Amino acid sequence: MSSSNQAHGTATQQIDALRAEIVHHEHLYYVMDQPTLTDAQYDKLVNRLKALEAEHPELVTPDSPTQRVGGKVKDGFAKVAHSRPMLSLDNAYNEEELRAWAVRVRGALHSSDVLEFVCEYKLDGLSLALHYGAASHGSAHLQRGVTRGDGTVGEDVTGNVRTIRTVPLSVNAEKLKKAGLPQTFEVRGEVVMPKAAFARMNAEREAAGQSPAANPRNAAAGTIRTVEPSIVAQRRLDYYAYFLLRDGEFLLPTQSETLDALAAAGFLTNPHARTAKTIEEVLAFIAEGETKRDALGYEIDGIVIKVNSVAQQRRLGFTGKAPRWAIAYKFPARGAVTKLLNVLFQVGRTGKLTPVAALDPVGIGGITVARATLHNPDEIARLGVRIGDYVAVERGGDVIPKITEVVEDTEHPRGTREIVFPTLCPKCKEPVVREDGEIDFRCVNASCPARLSEELLHYASRGVMNIEGLGEAMVAQLLGHPLNDPVSLADVEAQDAPMSLDVRDAEMLEESNDTTADEPTRTALVHTVADLYRLTADDLLKLERVGPKTAESLIAQIDRSRSAPLYRVLLGLGIRHVGERTAQDLADTFGSLDAIMTATEEELVRAEGIGPIVAKTIVDYFSIEKNRALVEALRAQGLQFTAEKRVVGTALAGLTFVLTGTLPTLTRDEAKARIEAAGGKVAGTVSRKTSHVVAGEEAGSKLDKARDLGVSVLDEQGLLDLLK
């Protein structure tokens, strides 16, 4: 053997050994919660592996621990049909409803059948399917991660799923044998954000001037659909597995055996699952779970009860939307009655006035609730609530404080003070308007200091220009006045999912709606976001509690943001209805900010993902002289105003493709991107309108359906020939 071959062999052995060691310690840390290495020792192993893979790039494999975080998802998420519908569960809200379900189950089975249940915590997250396929040395590697979607078709979020440490990138032959699993299988489970990670994320959001996420479930859902896997990696998510399938059918005879096999294969399963032979045992488990829920590191909102036998599950079957063999027992909402002391108004980035209820502090589920959002005038009218009323408050989703109704009896007299929206902005005293067809009142003064502070915080936030160090305290100093709003409710119209006010301990609030304070004002250093780029370290050193290191760091962060891509600049402008996906679609379609600025509504609606309302908002925004001046000021500061324009060919124009199975050289995303770049469309299901089905190894039911319908079937080479 030559010396180079010997070196290559040694490198392969070293890399394999390092990967196995790292995977072992990841399992101990993330799944078993029994770490044996310090963070520094773990990092040393990973850095050694990275160095070896850099020296031998030909040895890098997709399931290497170094490959968890990939590049940004450029074209959204491909649609993927599920092998078996991911159905929701029917709910039971009390013992009577649960017993009635058990009677129906018993009645649908043979009298001689032994009936057993499996009880599992109902994790408050989002469902996710993981597909594993055959790899070298008898192992299985992660091929695809798919969201629940509408239950029939989900979204391919594989790049983001790979960053979740409790998702094995591969399962070796030894573990497969121990678990009794084939090399090709599907795992279904729940993605959750632990409470500690949720608290950390919200602290970061607030430091960046963003509104806190409503609850861990919304945070997990928003995270898994972000287009940047690096952000997903920063936010700790966990994946709890509970189903095993192959070709859409359950693999093992019972649910309890399924949970054991998943654990043996290295997946994280909920350790509190338990079998029960009677409904009394089920009820005891429910009572126990309700007492333990606050001490858990994650949110649960009930208990899932499943018939253990898969054979019995088949006999019981399904209703139109849920299995008859499983039910979710929902814990009662945690609430209390307290007094509404006042209503205060928060001015958001777009001028929207949000009413915030100031409550007599009350404990709910171990948390002191002193404030709750009232959303908008329509919600206030629906509730019929007045200041001084006693109101029922619940933590919706066990996190969001919300007023559900007014309580009126001899102990709780009605309040007398109507809630009236101000006619003048509480911050700038300019008129407030409510346009026809709009729910919200808005301050229309573009120079409103409250709007500017929110604009700066939005601009600097991590999901936009990512300027670390530009939080509320710094913005207040740059504007020359304190940010003294009683509640920080950042406008969330451009977010992918709505956010609500999180729970906060707070001092008793004044009875007056006047939220201004007699504070000394200073000369503002910033009047628009463009002024950030004119700041110097000397400017910052004049501010309170700002030293040389802080000043230099912030100036460096601001300067770094000049290189942010066009879609982030668009986000930074704060155009209503333009969120991350819309900004990316605009950048990809038009290729420059100038082209977007001059586009007509008709031209805008022809872009992917742009509807008439969004198109009108964009045109209206750029019709305002102040906004055009801001764009020119940013241009002068050297920000990125161009992007690589997505060019769509015509070779496959008018053709619809369905992808199934594993192709020899192209990933599903790559094949989809090439089809769409040539003008074709990719669908998730086969129909008579399908032009071609592109089938690879282990193609499933889609291939069968294509043959039944007489639809053209291509292999990868056939697709490549069409693309030529």
Side-chain angles (χ1 to χ4, degrees):
M1 181 183 291
S2 68
S3 59
S4 62
N5 287 339
Q6 288 178 334
H8 190 280
T10 302
T12 300
Q13 293 169 354
Q14 290 178 326
I15 287 173
D16 287 345
L18 272 172
R19 286 175 184 163
E21 187 175 4
I22 290 169
V23 168
H24 171 68
H25 286 292
E26 285 183 339
H27 182 76
L28 289 176
Y29 183 91
Y30 293 104
V31 177
M32 305 301 294
D33 196 22
Q34 297 173 354
T36 58
L37 294 181
T38 65
D39 288 348
Q41 290 171 324
Y42 173 81
D43 290 342
K44 187 175 181 180
L45 289 175
V46 173
N47 290 334
R48 175 58 181 153
L49 177 59
K50 286 179 178 178
L52 281 171
E53 290 183 342
E55 293 173 12
H56 302 277
E58 72 281 1
L59 298 180
V60 177
T61 60
D63 59 351
S64 172
T66 64
Q67 302 302 300
R68 281 197 178 271
V69 182
K72 184 178 70 175
V73 179
K74 293 184 178 179
D75 297 310
F77 301 106
K79 302 293 185 182
V80 178
H82 291 300
S83 63
R84 174 194 188 103
M86 296 182 75
L87 300 177
S88 57
L89 297 178
D90 286 333
N91 295 320
Y93 294 95
N94 52 51
E95 179 179 338
E96 182 182 358
E97 292 177 354
L98 182 62
R99 287 185 180 276
W101 170 79
V103 168
R104 290 195 300 273
V105 168
R106 178 74 271 179
L109 298 175
H110 300 308
S111 58
S112 59
D113 284 351
V114 176
L115 179 59
E116 188 175 57
F117 304 104
V118 171
C119 304
E120 304 169 40
Y121 284 176
K122 186 177 182 297
L123 302 173
D124 197 13
L126 66 150
S127 300
L128 191 74
L130 305 179
H131 296 263
Y132 286 79
S136 58
H137 308 299
S139 64
H141 72 265
L142 176 65
Q143 293 182 329
R144 189 179 305 120
V146 185
T147 63
R148 179 182 180 275
D150 63 6
T152 302
V153 177
E155 290 183 312
D156 189 332
V157 290
T158 308
N160 291 341
V161 170
R162 292 174 64 84
T163 71
I164 301 174
R165 298 288 180 170
T166 46
V167 171
L169 297 180
S170 63
V171 182
N172 63 35
E174 182 181 350
K175 286 185 176 180
L176 289 176
K177 182 178 180 181
K178 182 179 178 182
L181 299 183
Q183 285 183 273
T184 302
F185 58 92
E186 177 184 347
V187 176
R188 291 187 177 178
E190 201 86 357
V191 174
V192 301
M193 179 175 283
K195 292 177 182 177
F198 177 68
R200 184 169 59 250
M201 186 197 76
N202 266 348
E204 292 172 354
R205 290 182 65 85
E206 291 179 322
Q210 297 175 299
S211 59
N215 52 48
R217 186 192 184 284
N218 283 6
T223 297
I224 206 68
R225 293 193 72 259
T226 186
V227 295
E228 295 192 23
S230 59
I231 292 178
V232 186
Q234 292 168 11
R235 299 177 184 173
R236 167 72 185 274
L237 297 177
D238 279 331
Y239 180 76
Y240 286 87
Y242 49 69
F243 281 148
L244 263 172
L245 301 92
R246 185 176 187 184
D247 297 329
E249 297 295 332
F250 289 125
L251 262 173
L252 298 174
T254 65
Q255 174 65 13
S256 55
E257 288 175 279
T258 293
L259 294 174
D260 290 342
L262 285 165
F267 290 89
L268 175 62
T269 58
N270 196 284
H272 299 281
R274 186 186 304 167
T275 57
K277 297 185 183 300
T278 66
I279 202 65
E280 279 68 27
E281 291 181 7
V282 171
L283 288 166
F285 183 86
I286 290 171
E288 180 184 314
E290 193 162 10
T291 62
K292 289 181 176 179
R293 63 188 301 201
D294 288 330
L296 298 172
Y298 46 85
E299 292 288 348
I300 65 172
D301 59 357
I303 303 294
V304 175
I305 304 99
K306 303 169 184 172
V307 171
N308 195 19
S309 166
V310 170
Q312 291 176 352
Q313 290 178 12
R314 292 195 189 100
R315 240 177 292 159
L316 289 163
F318 301 83
T319 65
K321 63 182 182 66
R324 292 190 177 93
W325 44 265
I327 196 167
Y329 182 95
K330 299 296 288 289
F331 292 143
R334 295 186 284 193
V337 174
T338 189
K339 190 174 184 179
L340 174 60
L341 301 177
N342 196 10
V343 173
L344 304 161
F345 293 92
Q346 163 74 25
V347 183
R349 174 171 52 83
T350 64
K352 172 184 171 183
L353 269 64
T354 301
V356 179
L359 305 170
D360 190 359
V362 61
I364 302 178
I367 299 295
T368 300
V369 176
R371 298 166 180 168
T373 179
L374 282 166
H375 298 292
N376 54 53
D378 287 1
E379 176 67 4
I380 292 172
R382 186 189 70 80
L383 290 168
V385 64
R386 298 191 291 252
I387 294 172
D389 278 342
Y390 286 86
V391 292
V393 182
E394 291 183 357
R395 289 174 60 201
D398 290 332
V399 178
I400 311 166
K402 62 179 180 180
I403 294 173
T404 58
E405 64 177 339
V406 174
V407 177
E408 183 180 8
D409 53 37
T410 55
E411 295 182 13
H412 303 101
R414 288 298 306 269
T416 58
R417 188 175 167 195
E418 296 287 340
I419 299 171
V420 179
F421 271 65
T423 57
L424 298 179
C425 172
K427 296 300 291 185
C428 70
K429 308 307 180 186
E430 290 294 320
V432 169
V433 301
R434 189 185 194 186
E435 297 180 2
D436 291 342
E438 290 273 349
I439 295 175
D440 299 306
F441 287 87
R442 295 181 186 277
C443 170
V444 294
N445 175 18
S447 300
C448 175
R451 292 185 61 177
L452 178 56
S453 66
E454 296 294 335
E455 286 174 5
L456 289 169
L457 292 168
H458 166 77
Y459 189 83
S461 62
R462 175 173 291 180
V464 186
M465 300 300 276
N466 194 22
I467 303 175
E468 293 183 14
L470 192 57
E472 288 189 1
M474 181 61 73
V475 167
Q477 293 212 68
L478 293 176
L479 294 179
H481 62 78
L483 301 183
N484 58 2
D485 290 323
V487 181
S488 179
L489 270 180
D491 188 277
V492 295
E493 292 171 346
Q495 299 291 330
D496 286 337
M499 302 292 184
S500 297
L501 180 65
D502 193 9
V503 181
R504 289 288 181 272
D505 293 341
E507 68 279 5
M508 296 289 289
L509 297 172
E510 299 175 348
E511 285 288 320
S512 171
N513 271 351
D514 183 6
T515 64
T516 59
D518 295 328
E519 295 283 350
T521 58
R522 298 178 293 274
T523 301
L525 294 176
V526 171
H527 301 278
T528 72
V529 294
D531 291 339
L532 292 172
Y533 297 97
R534 302 187 182 98
L535 292 172
T536 65
D538 288 340
D539 291 330
L540 299 180
L541 288 172
K542 298 173 185 176
L543 304 177
E544 296 177 8
R545 298 182 298 278
V546 176
K549 186 175 181 180
T550 298
E552 291 172 7
S553 175
L554 181 54
I555 294 299
Q557 285 287 323
I558 293 171
D559 188 58
R560 183 187 58 79
S561 73
R562 296 176 199 268
S563 61
L566 171 59
Y567 85 91
R568 286 188 178 270
V569 177
L570 277 170
L571 278 175
L573 294 177
I575 305 170
R576 285 184 67 196
H577 307 308
V578 176
E580 185 174 8
R581 291 287 296 275
T582 300
Q584 287 186 320
D585 288 337
L586 288 167
D588 289 345
T589 302
F590 291 92
S592 74
L593 186 51
D594 291 317
I596 297 168
M597 288 176 64
T598 57
T600 64
E601 290 183 37
E602 291 75 16
E603 291 169 332
L604 287 166
V605 295
R606 288 200 289 268
E608 182 180 351
I610 310 298
I613 293 176
V614 177
K616 183 179 186 305
T617 303
I618 294 168
V619 170
D620 288 347
Y621 178 88
F622 289 116
S623 69
I624 298 173
E625 176 58 35
K626 168 183 171 289
N627 296 335
R628 293 198 301 272
L630 174 61
V631 169
E632 293 309 314
L634 292 172
R635 188 198 306 274
Q637 296 301 323
L639 274 72
Q640 300 296 312
F641 274 30
T642 60
E644 184 178 343
K645 190 173 180 180
R646 185 169 59 210
V647 179
V648 178
T650 59
L652 304 183
L655 300 180
T656 300
F657 294 77
V658 172
L659 305 172
T660 182
T662 304
L663 300 178
T665 64
L666 295 175
T667 66
R668 188 175 294 254
D669 284 344
E670 289 168 344
K672 179 178 182 289
R674 295 190 65 173
I675 289 169
E676 291 179 342
K681 294 182 179 180
V682 177
T685 56
V686 180
S687 71
R688 296 188 185 279
K689 295 181 180 180
T690 304
S691 307
H692 301 282
V693 169
V694 181
E697 291 184 12
E698 299 185 13
S701 59
K702 294 178 186 177
L703 178 58
D704 296 334
K705 188 170 183 180
R707 288 169 175 160
D708 291 342
L709 295 176
V711 174
S712 166
V713 177
L714 303 174
D715 58 11
E716 181 183 286
Q717 188 57 51
L719 172 62
L720 295 175
D721 290 342
L722 277 182
L723 288 167
K724 291 177 183 177

